[in-house]
């Protein structure tokens, strides 16, 4: 008698246990790291190719830029002003052991600026041989941003008067008046009222007033001379930053945005509104001035799309 059917009915079903939350979390983390590792490698290859293509037009680095160093996690970070520098300086303060994460997150920008200069190592503080070893063996990172939104952020942060006793008020006034003298010859009213249009005029004309906050990104961190391991983008700052923080073995996370800051100029509506009064010819001239920031870092010509 054929009992195979009965035997099959008696067989116990094999039940596979569902993966635990810990396993699921690790799987998600591994997938995230793989995805951003691939993206990072693709982006740095693109930038390397662009650097090779335009090498003759891009001045070579004369000395290392302002680079923060953490020896424990073997990471170096080049500051690009108006590209989440305060947040990354906060992270370096935590990595340096200055204060714990929650306390550092509560620090204001002026306090962060004062603290990292005292408690975070800079590349230039090491010997020449040590610098070369660090730049050869540490994870090297920098961040970039759409040039047009970065310029708007620089204008709002450094040149627009706020109804506050902000510590930067004196610096803002000084910068604003210096530029007004250039774009309004013989018409200095004493008012603190530099417009965004006048700021753009200064940037694209012979009246250019040098300041690192609107200097071209490629000339600050020199990606054509320094072989960065990761070049993150402001447009995906949390994910790019968290990838880097995991990559170098920290348990930190990038500080999440908590609302709209006065200088946050990333919103598409705000960018469009601010640039509405800028003529097509001025916008083209602005693009040409920051041409290699657009080309090297893969930003399309024109205002960013929503």
């Amino acid at each position: 008698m054929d009992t195979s059917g009965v035997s099959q009915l008696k067989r116990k079903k094999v039940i596979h246990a569902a993966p635990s939350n810990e396993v699921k979390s690790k799987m998600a983390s591994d997938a995230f790291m793989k995805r951003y590792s691939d993206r990072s490698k693709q982006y740095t290859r693109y930038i390397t190719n662009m650097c090779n293509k335009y090498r003759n037009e891009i001045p070579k680095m004369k000395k290392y830029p302002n680079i923060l160093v953490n020896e424990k996690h073997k990471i170096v970070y080049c500051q690009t002003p108006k590209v989440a520098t305060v947040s990354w300086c906060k992270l370096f303060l935590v990595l340096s052991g200055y204060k714990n994460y929650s306390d550092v997150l509560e620090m204001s920008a002026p306090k962060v600026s004062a603290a990292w200069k005292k408690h975070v190592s800079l590349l230039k503080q090491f010997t020449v041989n040590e610098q070369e070893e660090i730049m050869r063996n540490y994870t090297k990172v920098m961040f970039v941003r759409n040039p047009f939104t970065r310029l708007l952020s620089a204008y709002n942060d450094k040149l627009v008067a706020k109804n506050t006793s902000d510590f930067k008020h004196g610096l803002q006034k000084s910068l604003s008046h210096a530029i007004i003298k250039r774009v309004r010859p013989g018409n200095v009213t004493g008012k603190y009222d530099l417009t965004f249009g006048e700021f753009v005029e200064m940037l694209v004309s012979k009246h250019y007033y040098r300041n690192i906050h609107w200097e071209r990104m490629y000339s600050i961190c020199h990606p054509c001379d320094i072989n960065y391991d990761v070049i993150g983008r402001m447009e995906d700052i949390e994910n790019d930053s968290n990838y880097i923080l995991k990559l170098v073995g920290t348990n930190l996370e990038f500080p999440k945005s908590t609302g709209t800051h006065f200088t946050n100029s990333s919103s598409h509506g705000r960018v469009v509104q601010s640039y509405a009064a800028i003529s097509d010819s001025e916008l083209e001239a602005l693009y040409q001035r920051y041409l290699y920031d657009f080309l090297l870092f893969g930003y399309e010509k024109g205002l960013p799309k929503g």
Side-chain angles (χ1 to χ4, degrees), residues 155-169:
Y155 167 76
N156 283 331
D157 185 33
K158 300 301 175 186
L159 298 168
V160 175
K162 309 181 189 68
N163 295 322
T164 175
S165 57
D166 191 289
F167 89 113
K168 293 180 291 187
H169 183 81

Side-chain angles (χ1 to χ4, degrees), residues 205-224:
S205 72
K206 63 182 180 181
H207 305 300
Y208 183 78
Y209 187 85
R210 185 176 295 277
N211 184 283
I212 195 170
H213 292 88
W214 51 81
E215 190 56 74
R216 286 164 283 209
M217 293 180 286
Y218 76 85
S219 68
I220 298 174
C221 287
H222 302 284
C224 295

Side-chain angles (χ1 to χ4, degrees), residues 32-249:
F32 170 84
M33 293 300 290
K34 176 66 166 61
R35 182 167 67 255
Y36 273 83
S37 174
D38 292 344
R39 286 180 56 171
S40 177
K41 290 175 182 177
Q42 181 180 11
Y43 191 43
T44 53
R45 280 197 301 268
Y46 169 85
I47 293 170
T48 298
N49 290 337
M50 291 296 101
C51 283
N52 292 335
K53 182 176 181 178
Y54 298 108
R55 178 73 269 190
N56 291 337
E57 287 78 28
I58 297 173
K60 291 188 177 181
M61 178 179 70
K62 295 180 180 179
K63 64 178 182 178
Y64 280 124
N66 202 37
I67 289 180
L68 279 59
V69 179
N70 181 264
E71 294 180 87
K72 179 180 178 180
H73 292 281
K74 297 186 182 302
I75 179 175
V76 298
Y77 159 62
C78 180
Q79 296 172 307
T80 307
K82 306 315 305 170
V83 191
T85 51
V86 172
S87 293
W88 264 94
C89 285
K90 286 182 177 182
L91 291 169
F92 264 77
L93 282 171
V94 177
L95 294 177
S96 74
Y98 171 65
K99 284 185 178 182
N100 65 40
Y101 183 75
S102 58
D103 288 341
V104 169
L105 289 191
E106 296 300 318
M107 292 173 64
S108 65
K111 289 184 178 179
V112 171
S113 179
W116 76 255
K117 291 172 184 175
K118 292 182 180 179
H119 300 284
V120 176
S121 298
L122 294 175
L123 185 67
K124 65 183 179 182
Q125 295 169 340
F126 294 84
T127 67
V128 172
N129 288 340
E130 288 171 336
Q131 289 181 30
E132 294 303 323
E133 183 179 353
I134 287 170
M135 295 303 286
R136 186 167 53 249
N137 297 317
Y138 284 25
T139 299
K140 298 171 289 295
V141 304
M142 67 169 287
F143 288 86
V144 297
R145 183 179 190 174
N146 181 286
F148 286 154
T149 59
R150 177 172 174 261
L151 291 173
L152 180 57
S153 180
Y155 167 76
N156 283 331
D157 185 33
K158 300 301 175 186
L159 298 168
V160 175
K162 309 181 189 68
N163 295 322
T164 175
S165 57
D166 191 289
F167 89 113
K168 293 180 291 187
H169 183 81
L171 175 61
Q172 289 175 322
K173 187 173 182 179
S174 175
L175 280 174
S176 181
H177 283 179
I179 295 171
I180 286 174
K181 286 180 180 179
R182 295 178 178 226
V183 298
R184 295 186 205 164
N187 186 33
V188 180
T189 63
K191 293 182 179 179
Y192 191 17
D193 59 353
L194 182 77
T195 68
F196 184 61
E198 289 173 325
F199 175 61
V200 170
E201 179 186 343
M202 175 275 293
L203 292 173
V204 302
S205 72
K206 63 182 180 181
H207 305 300
Y208 183 78
Y209 187 85
R210 185 176 295 277
N211 184 283
I212 195 170
H213 292 88
W214 51 81
E215 190 56 74
R216 286 164 283 209
M217 293 180 286
Y218 76 85
S219 68
I220 298 174
C221 287
H222 302 284
C224 295
D225 298 285
I226 296 175
N227 185 25
Y228 286 98
D229 298 285
V230 184
I231 298 179
R233 291 162 64 105
M234 185 72 167
E235 293 77 15
D236 196 16
I237 188 68
E238 286 189 19
N239 286 322
D240 282 341
S241 296
N242 286 333
Y243 166 69
I244 294 166
L245 292 168
K246 287 179 181 291
L247 182 67
V248 298

